[in-house]
Amino acid sequence: MIAVVRRFRRLIAERARAVHPKLDPVCYPMLLMLRRADAVAMSDLLAELAIEKSTLTRRIDSAARLGLVERIPDPDDARARLVALEPDCRRKLDEILRDETELWRQRLSGWETADIRELTVLLHRLGESMD
């Protein structure tokens, strides 16, 4: 299991560098979350990432300094800010994820469809058991 965790950390670091050479890999999951929506409230990011508010603020600040995210006014609450990906960052993430999907297609091309389905079921079960 440690080898799997190590491999995922390395993959996240590679993906982070592909977004921007100076991006801290701990920011990459946040960018993936932001990719799912036009803009996200900090409270939603906090809940999903399960980190402290000060830690999230530092990560947002870091990504903003690199030109990857921006804070925008919340149309429903004048006091609040939402976090959104900058367009260039969204395009880069889309490209990275497209390439990653193609890579997985190639890796699994020799597998039987039933084996892929079983792997999917087992991975979902593993993920649910870890919550």
Side-chain angles (χ1 to χ4, degrees), residues 12-129:
I12 288 171
E14 290 171 5
R15 302 301 185 276
R17 281 191 303 276
V19 172
H20 191 286
K22 293 184 179 180
L23 179 64
D24 187 331
V26 299
C27 295
Y28 188 73
M30 176 185 72
L31 297 181
L32 291 179
M33 279 190 61
L34 292 170
R35 183 180 169 269
R36 293 188 239 154
D38 289 333
V40 179
M42 280 189 61
S43 58
D44 293 336
L45 289 169
L46 286 168
E48 183 75 19
L49 295 170
I51 57 177
E52 297 292 325
K53 186 176 181 182
S54 60
T55 301
L56 178 60
T57 298
R58 283 191 301 275
R59 290 181 187 179
I60 292 168
D61 289 346
S62 174
R65 280 191 299 275
L66 297 174
L68 303 175
V69 302
E70 64 178 332
R71 290 181 176 92
I72 59 174
D74 185 337
D76 299 325
D77 183 351
R79 301 165 296 159
R81 293 284 208 213
L82 301 176
V83 183
L85 289 177
E86 290 285 0
D88 286 343
C89 182
R90 183 174 299 278
R91 280 191 291 277
K92 189 64 177 172
L93 286 170
D94 288 347
E95 177 186 320
I96 291 166
L97 293 174
R98 246 189 332 271
D99 292 348
E100 190 172 317
T101 298
E102 182 56 33
L103 182 60
W104 278 107
R105 282 192 178 115
Q106 291 171 9
R107 287 176 177 158
L108 299 175
S109 65
W111 288 41
E112 297 292 328
T113 302
D115 291 340
I116 295 171
R117 284 191 185 114
E118 182 177 359
L119 175 63
T120 302
V121 168
L122 293 172
L123 287 172
H124 280 284
R125 187 184 310 163
L126 176 63
E128 289 170 358
S129 72

Side-chain angles (χ1 to χ4, degrees), residues 1-11 126 130:
M1 185 61 130
I2 291 173
V4 171
V5 171
R6 217 177 279 135
R7 175 74 176 136
F8 276 117
R9 282 188 182 153
R10 192 175 78 222
L11 287 173
L126 176 63
M130 296 172 82

